[in-house]
Amino acid sequence: MPVYSCGLDVSSSALRFLAARLREHRRRLGTRWRRLSAGRQALLALAHLRNGHPYAQLAAGFGIGTTTAYRYITEAVDVLAALAPTLADAVRAASTKAFVLLDGTLPPIDRIAADRPFYSGKHKKHGMNVQVVADPFGRLLGASPALPGAVHDVRAAHEHGVIDALAGAGIVCWADKGYQGAGGTVRVPYRGRWETLSTGQQAVNRSHAKIRALVGQAVATLKSWRLLRKLRCSTTRITSLVQAVLTLHLASSS
C-alpha cells in the first residue's frame, strides 16, 4: 500500500495531553516494550479520531499491523473516555454560567433499513442520539452517552438525568421544540404554525431562536472530529468515542 505524509489539524497540546496519559497508563500496566512509543500511539489515535481513516490505512502509514493499530487506538480511546467529565462535572461547570443550551445531535451510523431502533424520524437516517450541553457562547460543556437514534431528545435527556440535574442546580436551560414537556428549568419556544402565533409569541420565539442558535457551535465541535460524521464501528463503542473527543476538546481548550 503506498504511503504519503499528511498534516493533522489538531493542536499540539492535545497530542501532548494524550501522550502523557498513555505513558501513565503504560507505567500502571508495567509495559516494557511496544511497537510504537506513547507519542506515536497518541498520534495514531488522533489521526483516527480526527480524520476517520480506516485501521488498514493507518497501519500502513505507521508501519504496524492492522490488528495492532486497532488495539492501540482502542486503548487510547478507552484511556480518554475514562477521563471524560461526568454529568455532575458538567452541571458544576454550568453553575457558573447565566444559563446553558441543550440540544441533541445524531452521529450517523452505517445500518440497514431493518435496524429501526437506530433510525431517527427527525433526521431521516440511522444514527445515535447524543445530548450536548453548551454554555451561552456555544462552548461545549458536556456530552451524554449515546442512545439509539429512534429515542427522542426529551426522552434521552430524561434518561440521562440531564433535566433533573439542571433543575436541581437551578440552572436555566434553553432548548428547541423537541424538548416540549421536559419540565424543570427547560425553556422551549411556543408550538404551532408561525401564522397562528400571536405577535407576542412570535417575538418570544425569535428571541428564543437567537439565544439558542449558538448551541450549533458545540455540535460542530464534536463533528469537527470526522470520525463522528460517519461511524462504522459497533454501536457499543460510540459512547467511548464521543467521550474521548470531549476529553480531548476540553483538555486542549483549557
Side-chain angles (χ1 to χ4, degrees):
M1 184 181 295
V3 177
Y4 67 96
S5 299
C6 178
L8 188 63
D9 57 338
V10 176
S11 68
S12 57
S13 60
L15 178 61
R16 291 194 298 269
F17 173 82
L18 179 52
R21 303 292 81 76
L22 288 173
R23 292 189 191 97
E24 294 170 358
H25 178 68
R26 291 183 180 192
R27 281 196 294 269
R28 287 195 298 270
L29 294 178
T31 301
R32 294 185 178 182
W33 181 86
R34 295 281 189 99
R35 289 292 302 276
L36 297 180
S37 65
R40 292 285 288 172
Q41 183 183 358
L43 185 60
L44 171 70
L46 290 178
H48 178 67
L49 293 171
R50 191 65 168 185
N51 293 332
H53 292 319
Y55 297 117
Q57 292 182 3
L58 292 170
F62 281 80
I64 57 178
T66 302
T67 302
T68 302
Y70 171 82
R71 188 172 67 251
Y72 281 5
I73 290 171
T74 300
E75 180 182 48
V77 167
D78 289 344
V79 167
L80 289 170
L83 299 172
T86 63
L87 176 59
D89 295 330
V91 170
R92 193 176 304 111
S95 64
T96 63
K97 313 297 181 182
F99 58 88
V100 296
L101 308 172
L102 175 64
D103 199 7
T105 184
L106 190 88
I109 60 176
D110 56 344
R111 288 295 182 273
I112 60 175
D115 294 322
R116 298 300 298 177
F118 299 99
Y119 184 79
S120 169
K122 174 182 177 181
H123 297 276
K124 308 300 182 185
K125 58 185 176 182
H126 293 81
M128 300 293 285
N129 185 309
V130 175
Q131 297 295 298
V132 174
V133 179
D135 71 6
F137 300 99
R139 292 176 296 213
L140 188 61
L141 295 177
S144 74
L147 290 175
V151 178
H152 293 180
D153 284 338
V154 64
R155 177 185 161 192
H158 272 300
E159 285 197 17
H160 294 309
V162 177
I163 306 298
D164 291 339
L166 293 175
I171 303 170
V172 176
C173 172
W174 296 77
D176 62 19
K177 295 179 181 178
Y179 295 87
Q180 289 284 348
T185 55
V186 177
R187 303 290 181 265
V188 296
Y190 287 102
R191 296 188 67 178
R193 297 176 64 86
W194 183 258
E195 59 272 13
T196 65
L197 299 178
S198 68
T199 302
Q201 289 173 332
Q202 291 178 355
V204 169
N205 280 9
R206 277 194 293 266
S207 176
H208 189 283
K210 290 179 181 178
I211 291 173
R212 66 169 302 277
L214 289 176
V215 74
Q217 292 186 12
V219 174
T221 296
L222 286 179
K223 295 296 183 67
S224 66
W225 297 81
R226 298 174 187 87
L227 183 68
L228 298 182
R229 297 179 189 176
K230 184 63 174 180
L231 290 156
R232 296 178 175 85
C233 61
S234 168
T235 55
T236 61
R237 294 290 303 162
I238 294 177
T239 292
S240 294
L241 292 170
V242 171
Q243 292 175 336
V245 167
L246 175 62
T247 298
L248 285 171
H249 167 70
L250 295 178
S252 59
S253 61
S254 60

